[in-house]
Amino acid sequence: MSILAPNSHILYREIHPRDQHQHYSTSGGGGGCLFSQKTTSGYIWIDLRNRDYKKIRRRNMRVDAFWSDLSRPTSLEMEPIQDCEHLDQILLHAQQLSQPILIDWMAAWCRKCIYLKPKLEKLAAEFDTKLKFYYVDVNKVPQALVKRGNISKMPTIQLWKDGEMKAEVIGGHKAWLVIDEVREMIQNFV
């Protein structure tokens, strides 16, 4: 049994027919489905938004989902920064590539930091080739690193370019507003 759902990532069914090949696929938009049936002269498309689906329901079918580029991830895990030396290595590498980096200064006990992290990881996938995303858990690193970032509130998201901090967003408000501010900050420097 197959489930037709709005989430196209879970939609897939293939049963080989006895006498003819049919190809069924979802169309993007409106929640309806377009089905195609292969005949000798090509494909016949059937729109399932009307009530014709009962005529073909018992036939063997193949159901595919079409979605945008699957080679691009929807989320990228941010890499942790351990200490000042590690930060120096990251900044040097980014400077050689002339690529900015984004650092999320957070704490494991901070609820807003925890809610913000997955949203930043989705944003990291969006800007995958343009900049690299890192995070620092301020309770797990030496305080010299926290002082170097000049961190007083959390979460703080900083954009570093050419070895120095260029801009920051202090995320004490709603996560979607913070993400909008971070996106705007990134677009100003990338």
Side-chain angles (χ1 to χ4, degrees), residues 11 23-27 32-36 45-46 48 62-66:
L11 178 63
H23 178 76
Y24 297 83
S25 61
T26 62
S27 70
C33 294
L34 290 178
F35 286 81
S36 67
W45 291 91
I46 302 165
L48 287 185
R62 175 186 166 132
V63 177
D64 291 324
F66 293 106

Side-chain angles (χ1 to χ4, degrees), residues 2-11 26 31 33 65:
S2 173
I3 299 172
L4 298 178
N7 185 349
S8 60
H9 293 272
I10 64 170
L11 178 63
T26 62
C33 294

Side-chain angles (χ1 to χ4, degrees), residues 136-154:
V136 176
D137 187 341
V138 297
N139 292 333
K140 294 183 180 178
V141 297
Q143 288 304 305
L145 178 61
V146 179
K147 287 180 183 176
R148 183 166 173 191
N150 199 20
I151 304 303
S152 60
K153 297 180 183 176
M154 286 172 289

Side-chain angles (χ1 to χ4, degrees), residues 39-108:
T39 63
T40 55
S41 62
Y43 285 94
I44 298 172
W45 291 91
I46 302 165
D47 186 359
L48 287 185
R49 286 175 280 196
N50 59 20
R51 304 234 183 252
D52 290 339
Y53 66 92
K54 291 180 181 176
K55 295 177 186 175
I56 60 168
R57 182 174 58 174
R58 294 187 185 127
R59 294 185 185 169
N60 294 328
M61 67 180 91
R62 175 186 166 132
V63 177
D64 291 324
F66 293 106
W67 49 80
S68 60
D69 189 9
L70 283 179
S71 63
R72 289 187 55 123
T74 57
S75 178
L76 286 176
E77 191 172 337
M78 296 189 292
E79 294 180 32
I81 297 176
Q82 306 300 332
D83 54 25
C84 288
E85 291 176 17
H86 190 205
L87 178 62
D88 289 335
Q89 292 171 356
I90 290 169
L91 290 173
L92 181 63
H93 183 69
Q95 199 169 4
Q96 290 171 349
L97 296 174
S98 67
Q99 184 180 41
I101 65 167
L102 190 125
I103 302 174
D104 175 23
W105 300 83
M106 50 91 67

